């Protein structure tokens, strides 16, 4: 069980990582390695060099800056799951993380790695969209911030440009908001066949789905249907119908397009019921 | 007896090494000078091999050889034979490395040997094979269609064999005059055994003595030695030692004589260096023998009284691309002969067609044939009960073979030795609270919750088996078992068995029995297995045969030891051997307790032979070859309770209860553990597992990302108990327990899921009951084409 | 060949220095370089957990890490957990409750279970099953593995150990 050969570089700062990326344009960043290394072991990926950023101190941890929680890209799932700040102000993240992989995956995998990888079956992208997160990206020409809505652009593709690093995730603190994540796991890999994250902030409902399409997306139809309405069982049930048309959805051994579309409705309803405390 | 251990839940003596990480599996070994192999495998299910260019691989630093099929054939290495023949069976050649065509994804096309595995794997990617892809066929029934691509040129219709059992005319007549009949068309899903330890083989050749040693992940090292020596490589049998060290599970997939074992032996001699190969899991998926894969039409007939009058079965059993060691026995004698189950069905007919396909070979997988038989029979019973408007339990009860009917001759060859099915059923019903469960079910249905209760009874025939009988049925092997019990001068005892333990705990359970028989501390006994260089001939472990055959041989050998010990004691105590009794660990003159010799005294004197009977050989060891008189017939009742989520189609196991009868239980800890594990595997078949092939013969669920093994949270704590009906024809009355869980649980879970779906008017679905399949059935929509369209 | 990298790791309390190829997976480093074959390889897709070890006190899959990533870390493998005569309570639990059959999944399973009890000393049955999602066992049906973990939890909490044969 061996990957192809590669050169290994360890970055100690973001600046160094950016520099290394410029020196090795074909290189890949190595975060928790839990998407990259499995792909390399099956020789589906064979980067000539890896730049390890997992130990860059400035990229780790959760802190509060005013009404924003700033999450370092190399913060592991385990750290997210146990973060008091997240539990208090953004319980959606620990809840979603609880269902990612298994404890060993959560010990290594990182939020930044997951978002940058943009696997269509990854869990966290849905929460990012529902929360209205912002991604801080640094590159040779400085830093920029991208809205979650603009970040996921396709299957395994994001707004990240060559040579750029996702460094921080900014989560707005939404006092009093209720939130929940409902996931239908793939029976074998346990990634998301469909995962729906909802944030109910006053009369605003924000919802997003992962697993269904090429990348995570907002469930605008649902958001509109519930806007300003009380979250009753009847309203929720009525709203969670035919949220996505099957045509462009993913399909595989576990779920056809039609079934996936149906699961989106079911998971959306479950997430909303939970958020509404019903 | 003072230290009776039979029946004690003794902790296992093998565990200290495993829990401290000092087990000794094949891949853990390194030998001085060892090199490693990687296989070049066909990515096509069917392709002509036009050219193999190894030049790039050979120049890769560290590569020692690239071996092709032609080279091995030219060197006189023969095809791998099958171990079971039916009349008219076609046995096309199976070379370790194919040279003309690849016949399934994973078929070996070349082997790269290099200084280490890393280099070998790199270089395997550099071997250029020019393939001409050919049309392939994956499904058994497709292979039988006119014009289907032939897997083997000399078997143009792909029919490996056909087989039948039972009186067809009588069965047809019974159907013609039946009160009611039911018919199911069903598929028994193909499974990948997935023992957690991937296969591995390490071969060493010593030039000076012209001797080979093969360490390999095997359930039956002697069978490998025999096949390799007598058929494949022509190595003199006494120059080949096969060792199966600690083996991480087998479940049937480590019976088969695999190509890689031949390749490492050949390479070890060619290079003069030890050669090791270890499978990656994704290789295991396409090369370990698979299990099941039947397409069946099954029918049942009953009379006005609700008595089953006939069962008729027609099955297509996919053999895969090549015949493995016991494959032909599995969908025939281990299947058709089991179709009476626990019932008094007077007329049974089973016909089997076994085609070759461009898929991984199929062989025994835990239960082997018997789960398939139990599944279809128990499905028929439930469907029929429903047709008759009877509770499925009451319909079963009406048809059970009564306790006074034993020995019971079935219409499909087997004669059941003993059984008490109704008592067993009642115990299970009482434990589970059957009536209350049914009431709960009705209650919940009103709330839109769908509980399902699956009750099944089963029997299995195991403990393979009388040699003359299996010989007459086509086995190319004996099925007796051997034991050598050797008492050392200090009274310690080595026991050599021809069976093999790869999780079953023989080192403990067998030692318990030996300690009882010899009346010595269990710490003084060691069980040795898995090495052709140390033990007498044996046939290995599969078909739940180790206890009924292997342990019977051990018991009879220990009894020879006791007889001899009595003679020695008689001499020392100046008494007649007939007056010596073996009690409390001593050999004493009957009625004169102070005239006694300890086991140690006897052992020592047997070796010193200073003061010794003139007509007795020194030494204290005995060998016994035990040929069973019949199969053994464990049975039981299993009950599964599931809930189906109608919104997603997901099935959740709520309870699982089993009452097994394997005769007297040697070690309940071990026996129960066997049942738990078997149940999980059977549940896997019903709910989670399937080797899915596309039309081109590509496996779509060929790794753990797609193929679902039961995890901890798929299971519940199992409620378990026993009834005890001894086997009348072996020394301890014991039967097998290794496969019961798997044989029963697939059917129990299947019936539970179908019971839950009854309100939706669903009569039958094929396994596995994956969420989408169940959801579609509930919502009445047609299934969409599987996988990538 | 890619440049080798110098690593320093402490494995089971012993410090090691090696020059390793970057692509050497931690599991192969442990098994082949250090000869610690108790850590197993059961798959090539990071699913089975047979390779589970502790890295700086957390359970990780050693097949999904390169040895170079462990530079400067402290690793515990099954061999370092306890030995006959002084078993870790989880090892003892597996033995008492028959939590293993073929033993192949066992080292990884035990390391995962220890990790669970380190984080949650008194887990419910559901929590135990959830925590073992990354570890496959084909032999036991998990029944006795759950009991083994419960035994260990009780033992570590100082409660009297129950008998094995219930
Ligand atoms: C057994 C198993 C089960 C899993 N189950 C789930 C699951 O249920 N749900 C789920 O969501 N995921 C699951 N995963 C995937 C897991 O979450 C991955 O850890 C995650 O997707 C990637 O994060 P990482 O830190 O491991 O990234 P890596 O694998 O190190 O990197 C992934 C990719 O992102 C790039 N990258 C990493 N960091 C950055 C950065 N800061 N800026 C730019 N590019 C970057 C890398 O170059 C690489 O191409 C599972 C993985 C495994 C092995
Ligand atoms: S070897 Fe299977 S998860 Fe590591
Ligand atoms: S004990 Fe064999 S896989 Fe768990």
């Amino acid at each position: 069980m061996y990957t192809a050969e590669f050169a290994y570089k360890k970055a100690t700062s973001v600046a160094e990582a950016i520099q290394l990326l410029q020196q090795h344009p074909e290189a890949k960043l190595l975060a928790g390695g839990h998407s990259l290394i499995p792909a390399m072991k099956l020789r589906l990926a064979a980067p000539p060099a890896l730049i390890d950023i997992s130990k860059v101190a400035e990229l780790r941890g959760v802190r509060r800056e005013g009404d924003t929680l700033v999450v370092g890209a190399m913060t592991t799932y385990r750290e997210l799951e146990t973060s008091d700040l997240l539990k208090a102000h953004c319980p959606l993240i620990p809840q979603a993380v609880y269902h990612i992989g298994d404890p060993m995956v959560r010990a290594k995998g990182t939020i930044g790695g997951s978002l940058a990888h943009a696997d269509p079956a990854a869990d966290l992208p849905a929460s990012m969209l529902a929360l209205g997160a912002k991604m801080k990206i640094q590159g040779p020409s400085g830093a920029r911030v991208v809205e979650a809505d603009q970040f996921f652009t396709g299957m395994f593709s994001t707004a990240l440009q060559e040579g750029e690093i996702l460094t921080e995730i900014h989560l707005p603190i939404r006092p009093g908001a209720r939130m929940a994540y409902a996931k239908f796991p793939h029976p074998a890999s346990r990634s998301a066949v469909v995962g729906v994250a909802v944030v109910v902030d006053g009369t605003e409902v924000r919802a997003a789905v992962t697993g269904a399409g090429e990348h995570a997306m907002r469930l605008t139809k649902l958001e509109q249907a519930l806007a300003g309405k009380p979250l009753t069982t009847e309203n929720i049930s009525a709203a969670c119908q035919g949220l996505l048309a099957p045509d462009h959805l993913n399909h595989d051994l576990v779920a056809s397009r039609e079934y996936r579309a149906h699961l989106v409705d079911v998971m959306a309803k479950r997430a909303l019921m939970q958020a509404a405390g019903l | 007896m003072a230290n009776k251990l039979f029946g004690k839940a003794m902790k296992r003596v093998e565990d200290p090494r495993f829990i401290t990480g000092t087990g000794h599996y094949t891949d853990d070994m390194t030998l001085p000078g060892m090199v490693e192999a990687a296989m070049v495998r066909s990515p096509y299910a069917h392709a002509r091999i036009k050219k193999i260019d190894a030049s790039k691989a050979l120049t890769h630093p560290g590569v020692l050889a690239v071996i092709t099929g032609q080279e091995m054939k030219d060197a006189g290495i023969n095809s791998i034979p099958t171990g079971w023949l039916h009349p008219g069976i076609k046995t096309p050649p199976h070379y370790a490395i194919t040279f003309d065509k690849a016949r399934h994804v994973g078929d070996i096309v070349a082997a790269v040997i290099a200084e280490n595995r890393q280099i070998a794997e790199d270089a395997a990617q550099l071997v250029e094979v020019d393939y001409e892809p050919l049309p392939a066929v994956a499904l058994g029934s497709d292979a039988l269609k006119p014009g289907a691509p032939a897997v083997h040129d000399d078997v143009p219709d792909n029919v490996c064999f056909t087989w039948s059992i039972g009186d067809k005319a009588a069965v047809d007549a019974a159907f013609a005059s039946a009160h009611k009949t039911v018919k199911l068309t069903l598929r028994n899903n193909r499974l990948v055994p997935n023992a957690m330890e991937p296969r591995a083989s390490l071969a060493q050749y010593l030039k000076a003595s012209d001797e080979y040693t093969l360490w390999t992940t095997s359930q039956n090292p002697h069978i490998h030695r025999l096949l390799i020596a007598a058929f494949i490589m022509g190595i003199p049998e006494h120059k080949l030692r096969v060792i199966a060290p600690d083996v991480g599970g087998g479940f049937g997939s480590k019976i088969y004589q695999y190509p890689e074992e031949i390749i490492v032996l050949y390479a070890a001699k060619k290079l003069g260096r030890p050669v090791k190969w270890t499978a990656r899991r994704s290789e295991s998926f396409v090369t370990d023998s698979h299990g099941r894969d039947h397409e069946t039409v099954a029918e049942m007939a009953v009379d006005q009284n609700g008595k089953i009058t006939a069962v008729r079965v027609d099955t297509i059993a996919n053999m895969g691309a090549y015949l493995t060691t016991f494959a032909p026995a599995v969908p025939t004698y281990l299947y058709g002969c089991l179709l009476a189950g626990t019932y008094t069905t007077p007329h049974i007919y089973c016909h089997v067609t076994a085609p070759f396909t461009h898929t991984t070979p199929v062989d025994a997988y835990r239960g082997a044939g018997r789960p398939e038989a139990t599944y279809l029979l128990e499905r028929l019973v439930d469907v029929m009960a429903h047709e008759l408007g009877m509770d499925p339990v009451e319909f079963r009860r009406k048809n059970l073979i009564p306790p006074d009917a034993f020995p019971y001759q079935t219409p499909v060859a087997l004669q059941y030795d003993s059984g008490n099915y109704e008592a067993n059923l009642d115990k299970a019903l009482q434990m589970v609270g059957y009536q209350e469960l049914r009431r709960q079910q009705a209650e919940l249905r009103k709330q839109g919750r769908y509980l399902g209760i699956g009750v099944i009874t089963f029997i299995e025939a195991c403990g393979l088996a009388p040699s003359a009988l299996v010989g007459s049925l086509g086995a190319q092997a004996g099925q007796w078992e051997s034991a050598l019990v050797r008492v050392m001068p200090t009274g310690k005892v080595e026991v050599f068995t021809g069976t093999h333990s790869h999780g079953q705990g023989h080192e403990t359970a067998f030692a318990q029995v030996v300690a009882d028989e010899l009346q010595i501390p269990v710490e003084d006994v060691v069980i040795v297995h898995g090495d052709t260089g140390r033990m007498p001939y044996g046939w290995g472990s599969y078909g739940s045969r180790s206890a009924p055959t292997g342990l019977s041989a051990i018991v009879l050998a220990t009894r020879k030891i006791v007889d001899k010990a009595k003679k020695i004691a008689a001499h020392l105590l100046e008494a007649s051997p007939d007056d010596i009794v073996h009690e409390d660990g001593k050999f004493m003159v009957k009625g004169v307790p102070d005239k006694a010799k300890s086991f140690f005294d006897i052992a020592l004197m047997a070796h010193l032979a200073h003061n010794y009977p003139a007509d007795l050989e020194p030494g204290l060891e005995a060998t016994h070859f035990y040929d069973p008189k019949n199969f053994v017939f464990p049975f039981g009742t299993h009950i599964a309770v599931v809930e189906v989520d109608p919104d997603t189609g997901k099935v959740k196991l709520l309870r699982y209860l089993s009452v097994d009868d394997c005769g007297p239980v040697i070690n309940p800890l071990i026996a129960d553990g066997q049942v738990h594990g078997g149940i999980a595997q059977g549940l896997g078949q019903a709910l989670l597992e399937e080797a899915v092939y596309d039309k081109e013969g590509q496996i779509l669920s060929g790794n753990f990302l797609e193929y679902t093994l039961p995890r901890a949270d798929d299971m519940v704590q199992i409620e378990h108990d026993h009834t005890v009906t001894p086997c009348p024809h072996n020394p301890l009355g014991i039967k097998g327990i290794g496969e019961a869980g798997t044989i029963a649980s697939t059917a129990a879970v299947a019936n539970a899921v179908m019971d839950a779906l009854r309100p939706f008017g669903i009569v039958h679905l094929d396994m596995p009951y994956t969420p989408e399949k169940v959801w579609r059935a509930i919502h009445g929509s047609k299934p969409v084409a599987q996988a990538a369209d | 060949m890619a440049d080798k990298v110098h690593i320093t790791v402490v494995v089971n309390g012993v410090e090691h220095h090696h020059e390793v190829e970057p692509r050497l997976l931690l599991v192969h480093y442990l098994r082949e370089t250090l000869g610690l074959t108790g850590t197993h390889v059961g798959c090539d897709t990071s699913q089975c957990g047979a390779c589970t070890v502790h890295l700086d006190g957390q359970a990780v899959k050693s097949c999904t890490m390169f040895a170079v990533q462990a530079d400067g870390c402290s690793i515990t493998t099954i061999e370092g957990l306890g030995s006959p005569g002084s078993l870790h309570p989880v090892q003892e639990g597996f033995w008492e409750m028959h939590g293993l059959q073929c033993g192949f999944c066992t080292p990884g399973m035990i390391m995962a279970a220890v990790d669970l009890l380190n984080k949650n000393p008194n887990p419910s049955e559901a929590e135990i099953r959830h925590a073992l999602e990354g570890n496959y066992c084909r032999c036991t049906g998990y029944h006795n593995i759950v009991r083994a973990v419960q035994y260990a939890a009780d033992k570590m909490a100082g409660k009297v150990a129950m008998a094995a044969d219930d």
Side-chain angles (χ1 to χ4, degrees), chain B residues 12 25 194-197 247-249 251 502-503, chain C residues 94 99-106 109 136-142 145:
Chain B
R12 298 201 316 173
Y25 302 88
N194 274 314
M196 285 320 299
E197 179 204 21
V247 173
F251 314 116
H502 30 278
Chain C
F94 272 70
L100 61 147
Q101 291 179 23
C102 79
F104 195 79
C105 72
T106 310
M109 198 65 85
Y136 285 148
C137 175
R138 195 57 154 163
C139 297
T140 63
Y142 305 98
I145 290 177

Side-chain angles (χ1 to χ4, degrees), chain B residues 540-615:
Chain B
S541 290
Y542 37 81
S544 308
R545 69 189 300 275
S546 300
T549 64
L551 187 54
S552 293
I554 291 172
V555 167
L556 295 172
T558 59
R559 291 182 185 170
K560 290 180 184 170
I561 299 269
V562 171
D563 284 346
K564 185 168 180 181
K566 282 184 180 167
K567 289 184 189 147
I568 299 168
H571 178 86
L572 294 173
L573 298 168
E574 296 174 345
S576 151
D578 295 341
D579 290 339
I580 301 294
V581 291
H582 182 206
E583 269 170 24
D584 295 331
K586 293 199 184 76
F587 293 87
M588 53 187 143
V589 181
K590 205 183 295 170
V592 196
D594 3 322
K595 284 192 84 179
K597 290 284 167 191
S598 69
F599 188 75
F600 169 76
D601 296 336
I602 305 284
L604 185 63
M605 192 48 70
H607 287 84
L608 298 178
H610 292 168
N611 179 8
Y612 207 69
D615 55 352

Side-chain angles (χ1 to χ4, degrees), chain C residues 40-43 46-51 61 63:
Chain C
H40 295 154
V41 178
C43 75
S46 307
Q47 244 82 31
C48 76
C51 61
K61 290 178 174 172
C63 73

Side-chain angles (χ1 to χ4, degrees), chain A residues 41 43 188 256 259 262 270, chain B residues 122 645 647-648 711 772 775:
Chain A
K41 286 200 296 184
R43 301 212 179 190
S256 67
Y259 180 56
H262 169 74
R270 288 185 182 176
Chain B
D122 287 346
D645 174 354
D647 288 338
T648 60
R711 284 184 169 87
E772 175 160 5
W775 174 76

Side-chain angles (χ1 to χ4, degrees), chain B residues 24-327:
Chain B
H24 195 63
Y25 302 88
T26 302
D27 186 49
D28 296 344
M29 297 189 59
T30 16
L31 294 177
M34 186 179 89
V35 296
E36 293 187 78
M39 303 299 156
V40 179
R41 297 185 182 276
S42 171
Y44 298 103
H46 192 197
R48 195 180 316 283
I49 298 161
K50 290 163 67 180
K51 188 160 170 262
I52 299 173
D53 181 357
S55 52
K56 269 198 207 131
L58 283 167
T59 56
H60 192 74
V63 171
L64 301 167
V66 176
I67 298 168
T68 63
Q70 195 63 48
E71 171 186 336
M72 280 177 62
K73 186 164 186 269
D74 294 345
I77 311 295
N78 292 320
S79 148
I80 301 169
T82 184
W84 200 292
L85 300 177
H86 295 302
I89 189 172
K90 305 288 191 329
T91 57
H94 177 197
Y95 291 98
I97 304 184
T98 188
F99 46 83
D100 53 348
K101 280 180 181 178
R103 295 184 178 83
H104 67 90
V105 172
D107 211 357
I108 304 174
V109 176
V112 178
I113 319 292
E115 289 294 342
N116 63 42
R117 192 159 164 207
Q118 202 158 316
I119 300 173
E121 285 191 12
D122 287 346
Q125 309 223 330
L126 300 175
V127 176
E128 289 170 9
V129 185
D130 187 3
Y131 294 101
E132 177 192 338
L134 298 170
V137 63
L139 189 65
S141 54
D142 285 346
L144 296 172
K145 287 183 183 149
V151 181
H152 298 277
D153 294 343
D154 46 355
V155 191
D157 61 0
N158 286 325
V159 177
C160 173
F161 64 84
T162 59
W163 177 93
S164 63
I165 194 161
D167 183 343
K168 184 168 189 306
V171 168
D172 291 348
F175 271 90
S177 63
H179 167 62
K180 242 188 181 54
T181 65
V182 294
K183 178 174 179 173
L184 287 176
T185 301
L186 51 88
R187 179 148 160 71
N188 199 292
N189 40 326
R190 180 187 274 245
L191 304 177
V192 184
N194 274 314
M196 285 320 299
E197 179 204 21
R199 285 188 298 116
S201 302
L202 166 61
Q204 183 181 44
Y205 175 71
L206 298 178
K207 193 157 192 230
S209 52
D210 194 29
E211 282 174 334
Y212 295 81
T213 306
L214 174 69
W215 290 264
T216 194
T217 49
S218 171
Q219 303 175 218
N220 33 245
H222 279 101
I223 293 184
H224 294 288
R225 187 179 66 179
L226 177 63
L227 291 173
I228 294 167
F231 299 100
I232 305 165
M233 298 186 78
I235 298 170
E237 200 172 351
H238 62 301
K239 297 283 189 183
L240 171 61
R241 178 173 174 188
V242 180
I243 301 172
D246 284 331
V247 173
F251 314 116
S253 68
K254 291 173 180 167
I255 296 174
Y256 172 27
Q257 172 59 56
Y258 282 98
E260 293 87 355
E261 289 156 340
I262 310 301
I263 295 167
V264 292
L265 281 166
Y266 172 81
K269 179 170 187 184
K270 175 182 164 117
L271 298 171
R273 295 173 70 175
V275 179
K276 181 164 86 176
W277 167 82
T278 304
R280 301 169 58 127
R281 178 61 58 182
S282 37
E283 279 183 289
S284 311
F285 265 97
V286 290
T287 66
D288 288 10
S289 57
H290 290 182
R292 321 278 191 256
D293 199 348
H294 287 191
E295 296 163 79
T296 293
V297 178
E299 298 165 279
M300 178 176 274
V302 291
D303 65 16
Q304 302 87 316
N305 304 319
K307 292 283 274 182
I308 306 170
T309 54
V311 167
R312 186 161 60 195
V313 173
D314 194 359
T315 292
I316 298 171
N318 193 335
M319 291 283 101
Y322 302 105
L323 279 182
T324 60
T325 308
F326 286 127

